[in-house]
Amino acid sequence: MDEADADMWKGTPLFPDSASTMAGRVDALYFFLIVVSAFFSVLIAGLIVFYAVKYRRRSPDSVGASFHGGMALELTWTVIPFFITIVIFVWGASVFFAMSRPPDETLNIYVVGKQWMWKFQHLDGQREINELHVPVGRPVKLIMTSEDVIHDVFVPAFRVKADVLPGRYTNIWFQPTKPGRYHLFCAEYCGTRHSGMVGEVVVMDPSEYQTWLSGGAPEGSLASAGARLFQDLACNTCHRPDAQGRGPVLEGLFGKTATLQSGETITVDEAYVRESILNPSARVTAGFQPIMPTFQGLVTEEQLLELVEYVKSLQSLPPVQTR
Ligand code: CUA
């Protein structure tokens, strides 16, 4: 497509803006599927019309010839579609895997959906509703959950879309490629005002983004809000860093493997921390008693995210300065 063609499509509602590193790959696959489908649709429709005319009944008493297939023909129309579907499968899988595996270093932002709004929490403590500010050129990971029913985040310009489910965390990631404002939709029918559950992603230059970041956050970072909550809820009486508490030491735990009473091992991720707060006896760490009370109903989804972020922040003690 040359410059003029690209301009021709600009502003047409046929395709949304493409503003992420994934957009080009998703579109290429999509175009391929359209071309393959169009080619075979036209071919088959054309052949039907052509043969209908060619072998039409010419006199009232003519009888059709009987016909018993041919091996070559059978093989051709089996083998060609087979290879085409394999190409679609391999190509589709590679795009799917790229979309579902975020890079190691991402800017993490928490998303809570509720009837009928999107709430965003930045690690530095900024909170936004129905508007999400992100810097251009950096991979961003959204860690998402819902307070009530199933919602679905959809940003057409980034070609990303994923369900947002109550009771668990789902992720999407994208790397914006150009500054601008892009539509954000809820793409799962979630009640009366589903159609109003829309917002905007604001992609900014990194310097502008820094300015924006430093403009807000009176309450401090998410992790520090989590630390305060950890004290307020008296979690610190049992989860003590000195291993003398009645609960496991949380320092350095996140991302590690833990052994459960059942002998099973699990990775300590966001979902496990969340579950351990809401339903502590579900999967108890080996060597501990199931004595922790549930905090179901005592903490909101947003507070849960603060606690998760606090546990994440307990990675290690600050390195000792040696000279
Ligand atoms: Cu939320 Cu539809």
Side-chain angles (χ1 to χ4, degrees), residues 114-116 118 149-152 186-191 193-195 197:
K114 68 171 273 194
Q115 291 168 320
W116 288 275
W118 295 109
V149 299
I150 301 177
H151 302 277
D152 187 297
C186 178
E188 182 69 51
Y189 181 67
C190 56
R193 296 202 44 230
H194 156 71
S195 62
M197 195 169 160

Side-chain angles (χ1 to χ4, degrees), residues 10 32 62 65 68 71 111 117 122 151 164 169 176 183 192 199 212 221:
K10 219 170 185 172
F32 177 73
S62 63
H68 299 280
M71 191 51 111
V111 182
M117 63 171 81
H122 295 258
H151 302 277
V164 175
Y169 295 130
H183 288 299
T192 321
W212 178 84
S221 71

Side-chain angles (χ1 to χ4, degrees), residues 27-322:
D27 289 354
L29 176 62
Y30 189 70
F31 278 121
F32 177 73
L33 293 175
I34 288 179
V35 168
V36 169
S37 311
F39 174 78
F40 282 103
S41 304
V42 169
L43 179 71
I44 292 167
L47 288 178
I48 289 173
V49 172
F50 175 75
Y51 286 121
V53 172
K54 186 174 179 196
Y55 296 112
R56 69 187 181 280
R57 200 180 202 197
R58 284 157 213 261
S59 69
D61 52 341
S62 63
V63 178
S66 77
F67 178 76
H68 299 280
M71 191 51 111
L73 188 63
E74 294 285 346
L75 281 176
T76 310
W77 70 35
T78 305
V79 170
I80 292 177
F82 173 77
F83 281 109
I84 293 173
T85 48
I86 288 295
V87 168
I88 294 172
F89 170 72
V90 172
W91 190 350
S94 85
V95 174
F96 175 80
F97 285 129
M99 291 183 94
S100 48
R101 286 206 200 110
D104 290 339
E105 290 297 320
T106 50
L107 174 65
N108 295 347
I109 297 169
Y110 290 103
V111 182
V112 178
K114 68 171 273 194
Q115 291 168 320
W116 288 275
M117 63 171 81
W118 295 109
K119 297 190 277 189
F120 301 99
Q121 286 172 281
H122 295 258
L123 294 187
D124 287 1
Q126 280 83 357
R127 288 155 193 276
E128 313 186 68
I129 287 179
N130 292 344
E131 206 174 47
L132 170 64
H133 289 76
V134 292
V136 72
R138 232 178 114 184
V140 175
K141 182 163 84 175
L142 302 183
I143 303 168
M144 315 182 294
T145 190
S146 166
E147 246 176 64
D148 37 45
V149 299
I150 301 177
H151 302 277
D152 187 297
V153 156
F154 181 31
V155 186
F158 298 162
R159 310 291 191 272
V160 291
K161 178 177 172 296
D163 274 1
V164 175
L165 307 167
R168 64 159 116 156
Y169 295 130
T170 51
N171 295 322
I172 49 174
W173 79 275
F174 51 82
Q175 184 170 333
T177 49
K178 56 180 188 194
R181 302 178 78 93
Y182 304 101
H183 288 299
L184 164 80
F185 297 108
C186 178
E188 182 69 51
Y189 181 67
C190 56
T192 321
R193 296 202 44 230
H194 156 71
S195 62
M197 195 169 160
V198 293
E200 260 184 341
V201 181
V202 183
V203 177
M204 309 172 93
D205 279 323
S207 58
E208 275 178 62
Y209 177 71
Q210 282 311 321
T211 314
W212 178 84
L213 263 191
S214 55
E219 305 139 64
S221 71
L222 270 196
S224 67
R228 278 197 301 277
L229 201 53
F230 196 77
Q231 304 268 337
D232 293 348
L233 297 170
C235 311
N236 57 333
T237 56
C238 292
H239 294 285
R240 293 166 40 171
D242 59 6
Q244 303 300 307
R246 288 178 293 171
V249 175
L250 302 180
E251 275 73 6
L253 189 64
F254 196 87
K256 299 278 161 28
T257 303
T259 307
L260 304 180
Q261 279 182 331
S262 60
E264 192 193 342
T265 58
I266 47 112
T267 303
V268 180
D269 56 7
E270 286 100 356
Y272 181 64
V273 175
R274 182 181 193 281
E275 181 191 73
S276 300
I277 297 168
L278 297 180
N279 188 9
S281 48
R283 291 189 287 172
V284 179
T285 309
F288 292 92
Q289 295 303 311
I291 52 168
M292 176 170 159
T294 171
F295 287 83
Q296 186 95 53
L298 298 175
V299 283
T300 63
E301 287 297 338
E302 282 147 281
Q303 289 175 322
L304 276 168
L305 294 173
E306 292 170 354
L307 290 169
V308 166
E309 203 47 45
Y310 172 63
V311 173
K312 271 192 195 179
S313 74
L314 298 172
Q315 276 318 300
S316 54
L317 298 169
V320 180
Q321 293 284 330
T322 51

